[in-house]
């Protein structure tokens, strides 16, 4: 048998086994990380296709390599589907990741040293929204808005005041860990008032936006960036939407500005995900994510956990404040993992602990909802989370019992049954 025709298991059992182990981990644990999900078999087939083989620098009809006929077709399809799904003038589907999409958007809209105004990372912002240790904070003069000290929610009047003082060239609306809906219209009004451009980063909420379950930034923002692997449930990647007047600049910023060869197999997988997101089934899936988030939030509160902002609305995640529970976010997440429940530790507003320790965790419902779970399961999971956090530190028995319950729930709501 030639090297080219052997299966992964035959050609490289070592890698095959590691991937097999990861498949089993995904099948046998409850995944509550709101920025992760399970891609469909069709999305994974496109991502693992022969489209990985070719260079296609440039854009459809203007490639630097010959032989791109099918690459043009697939990129046009992905762009058309993204534009239709989000009712946008223009889509660029080449960015590799959320941060490279943001990098390209800044490159199109700003000059080095220009001022940007974005949410503080400690209050839910993102590394690529101007943090000093990131290219965005090194290249641009970043200023930040925080959340209201009373409500832990976005305070639009305060953002207006800061914007009037700072006079940013660009306002960034969007967050990685904010459990409330974002009012993009208010952001657009502020940007208009101070003469700033508006970029919305909807990496987390993109699926909700596509399904009409969250306010839509596309009509009001100059540029919208997003990932494709979170609530959108596509491959690990990203894209940019913009108004027609930004199309040329955005395209030039992505290529040749910050990227060279596009990942055409991943663009094919994005096309598949955009099609899946047009279905009625996907809209219902997004609405169930929100219903499940409400149910999980309410059940965690019944178990005596304080949620930052008091809950979640129109969203898929919540921030649990563990400061009154005598446990760090890190220890809580480690104990939960031992019981088969995977969450991420997270800073909360006003956190005095380091990002490695934190005082919070950030559970979310997109992955559980993909497995078909509904409100009764959210209630059950909140009870398991509470048991592990309250009793798991001192009891191997509790961890083992919850692990057993997790396995039963995973068996009742299987994932990737078709995979070997
Ligand atoms: N790492 C992502 C998240 O978990 O929110 C953001 O890039």
């Amino acid at each position: 048998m030639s090297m080219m025709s052997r299966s992964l298991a035959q050609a490289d059992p070592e890698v095959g086994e590691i991937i097999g182990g990861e498949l089993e981990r995904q099948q046998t644990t409850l995944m509550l990380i709101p920025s992760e999900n399970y891609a469909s078999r069709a999305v994974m087939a496109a991502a693992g296709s022969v489209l990985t083989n070719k260079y296609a620098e440039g854009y459809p009809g203007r490639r630097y390599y010959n032989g791109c006929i099918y690459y043009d077709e697939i990129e046009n399809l992905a762009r058309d589907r993204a534009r239709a799904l989000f009712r946008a003038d223009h889509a660029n589907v080449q960015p590799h990741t959320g941060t490279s999409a943001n990098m390209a958007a800044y490159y199109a809209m700003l000059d080095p040293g220009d001022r940007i105004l974005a949410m503080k990372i400690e209050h839910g912002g993102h590394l690529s929204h101007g943090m000093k240790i990131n290219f965005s904070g090194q290249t641009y003069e970043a200023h930040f808005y925080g959340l209201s000290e009373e409500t832990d929610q976005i305070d639009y009047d305060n953002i207006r005041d800061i914007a009037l003082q700072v006079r940013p060239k660009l306002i960034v609306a969007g967050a990685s860990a904010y459990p409330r809906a974002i009012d993009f219209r208010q952001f657009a009004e502020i940007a208009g008032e101070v003469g700033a451009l508006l970029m919305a980063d909807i990496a987390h909420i993109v699926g909700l936006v596509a399904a009409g379950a969250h306010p839509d930034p596309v009509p009001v923002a100059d540029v919208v960036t997003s990932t494709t692997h979170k609530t959108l449930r596509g491959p690990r990647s990203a894209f940019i939407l913009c108004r027609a007047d930004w199309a040329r600049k955005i395209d030039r910023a992505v290529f040749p500005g910050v990227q060279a060869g596009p990942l055409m197999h991943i663009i094919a997988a994005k096309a598949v995900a955009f099609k899946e997101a047009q279905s009625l089934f996907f809209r219902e899936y997004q609405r169930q994510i929100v219903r499940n988030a409400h149910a999980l939030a309410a059940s965690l509160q019944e178990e005596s956990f304080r949620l930052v902002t008091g809950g979640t609305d129109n969203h898929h995640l919540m921030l649990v404040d563990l400061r009154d529970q005598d446990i760090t976010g890190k220890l809580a997440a480690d104990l939960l993992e031992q019981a088969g429940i995977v969450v991420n530790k997270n800073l909360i507003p006003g956190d005095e602990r380091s990002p490695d320790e934190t005082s919070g965790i950030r559970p979310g419902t997109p992955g559980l909802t993909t497995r078909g779970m509904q409100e009764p399961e959210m209630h059950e999971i909140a009870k398991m989370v509470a048991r592990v956090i309250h009793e798991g530190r001192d009891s191997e028995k509790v961890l083992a019992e919850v692990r057993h319950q997790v396995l039963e729930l995973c068996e009742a709501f299987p994932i990737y049954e078709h995979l070997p």
Side-chain angles (χ1 to χ4, degrees), residues 33 35 99 126 176-177 204 227 230 344 362:
I33 296 176
S35 51
T99 293
H126 189 253
S176 268
H204 267 258
T227 55
K230 298 186 175 102
N344 70 281
R362 184 187 63 157

Side-chain angles (χ1 to χ4, degrees), residues 9 28 59 110 210 227 248 280 287 290 292 314 356 361 402:
T28 56
Y59 288 103
L110 301 170
T227 55
R248 200 177 133 75
L280 283 177
R287 290 183 198 290
V290 176
N292 282 352
N314 208 2
D356 289 333
I361 53 172
V402 176

Side-chain angles (χ1 to χ4, degrees), residues 187-390:
F187 269 106
E189 275 170 27
I190 297 167
E193 216 174 303
V194 303
L197 299 168
L198 178 63
M199 180 184 114
D201 179 342
I202 60 167
H204 267 258
I205 52 174
V206 57
L208 303 172
V209 170
H214 187 286
D216 181 1
V218 175
V220 296
D222 294 281
V223 172
V224 176
T225 61
S226 181
T227 55
T228 45
H229 49 275
K230 298 186 175 102
T231 45
L232 197 61
R233 221 162 50 176
R236 181 160 297 278
S237 194
F239 66 108
I240 302 177
L241 304 168
C242 65
R243 285 207 315 263
D245 49 333
W246 282 104
R248 200 177 133 75
K249 277 195 164 175
I250 287 290
D251 283 354
R252 288 188 64 81
V254 175
F255 172 85
V258 304
Q259 289 185 182
L263 307 176
M264 294 307 300
H265 52 310
I266 301 299
I267 289 176
K270 284 183 248 194
V272 175
F274 293 137
K275 179 168 185 204
E276 288 177 355
Q278 281 164 352
S279 68
L280 283 177
F281 181 80
F282 184 84
R283 291 176 79 86
E284 179 45 31
Y285 161 62
Q286 296 295 326
R287 290 183 198 290
Q288 189 62 45
I289 289 178
V290 176
R291 286 195 288 270
N292 282 352
H294 283 292
L296 186 61
S299 302
L300 286 169
Q301 284 173 315
E302 277 166 27
E303 297 296 331
S304 83
F305 289 108
R306 189 188 95 81
L307 300 188
V308 175
T309 78
T312 177
D313 63 21
N314 208 2
H315 212 318
H316 62 295
L317 68 77
M318 59 220 71
L319 271 177
V320 181
D321 179 353
L322 296 170
R323 282 177 299 190
D324 59 356
Q325 305 275 337
D326 187 30
I327 192 168
T328 63
K330 177 173 170 27
L331 181 55
D334 287 348
L335 288 172
L336 285 165
E337 186 176 359
Q338 286 180 51
I341 299 174
V342 186
V343 301
N344 70 281
K345 61 180 183 268
N346 216 94
L347 290 173
I348 53 168
D351 209 327
E352 288 178 358
R353 292 199 171 99
S354 73
D356 289 333
E357 289 292 323
T358 82
S359 301
I361 53 172
R362 184 187 63 157
T365 55
L368 301 176
T369 312
T370 295
R371 292 185 86 132
M373 294 181 192
Q374 297 190 342
E375 290 89 328
E377 288 75 41
M378 299 305 115
H379 189 62
E380 205 180 321
I381 291 167
K383 284 195 170 314
M384 293 190 229
V385 168
R387 203 162 168 229
V388 169
I389 291 180
H390 293 147

Side-chain angles (χ1 to χ4, degrees), residues 47-220:
S49 69
V50 291
L51 292 176
T52 192
N53 286 336
K54 187 156 173 48
Y55 264 118
E57 277 162 295
Y59 288 103
R62 290 174 290 133
R63 303 283 189 192
Y64 286 81
Y65 290 80
N66 283 76
C68 284
I69 172 171
Y70 296 109
Y71 293 73
D72 284 3
E73 276 186 30
I74 203 70
E75 188 166 349
N76 278 330
L77 195 57
R79 292 201 294 199
D80 290 348
R81 286 179 178 176
R83 282 195 300 116
L85 182 62
F86 294 96
R87 297 163 300 280
D89 291 347
H90 182 73
N92 187 306
V93 294
Q94 292 197 3
H96 303 324
T97 69
T99 293
S100 47
N102 288 347
M103 182 183 259
Y106 298 149
Y107 196 61
M109 291 190 279
L110 301 170
D111 291 313
D114 278 347
R115 285 192 282 271
I116 65 171
L117 177 60
M119 190 190 277
K120 285 181 197 174
I121 193 158
E122 314 88 89
H123 286 195
H126 189 253
L127 200 60
S128 64
H129 294 180
M131 263 197 95
K132 257 285 166 267
I133 51 170
N134 181 260
F135 82 92
S136 53
Q138 299 279 327
T139 312
Y140 308 105
E141 185 185 313
H143 296 259
F144 298 97
Y145 52 87
L147 302 176
S148 150
E149 278 181 24
E150 284 86 54
T151 63
D152 286 333
Q153 299 202 27
I154 292 177
D155 177 346
Y156 295 92
D157 291 334
N158 179 250
I159 297 176
R160 178 177 286 103
D161 291 343
I162 301 174
L164 283 166
Q165 268 175 15
V166 168
R167 295 274 165 192
K169 177 135 178 227
L170 176 72
I171 297 179
V172 181
S176 268
Y178 183 62
R180 296 284 167 177
I182 297 177
D183 187 342
F184 294 111
R185 285 192 182 275
Q186 291 215 52
F187 269 106
E189 275 170 27
I190 297 167
E193 216 174 303
V194 303
L197 299 168
L198 178 63
M199 180 184 114
D201 179 342
I202 60 167
H204 267 258
I205 52 174
V206 57
L208 303 172
V209 170
H214 187 286
D216 181 1
V218 175
V220 296

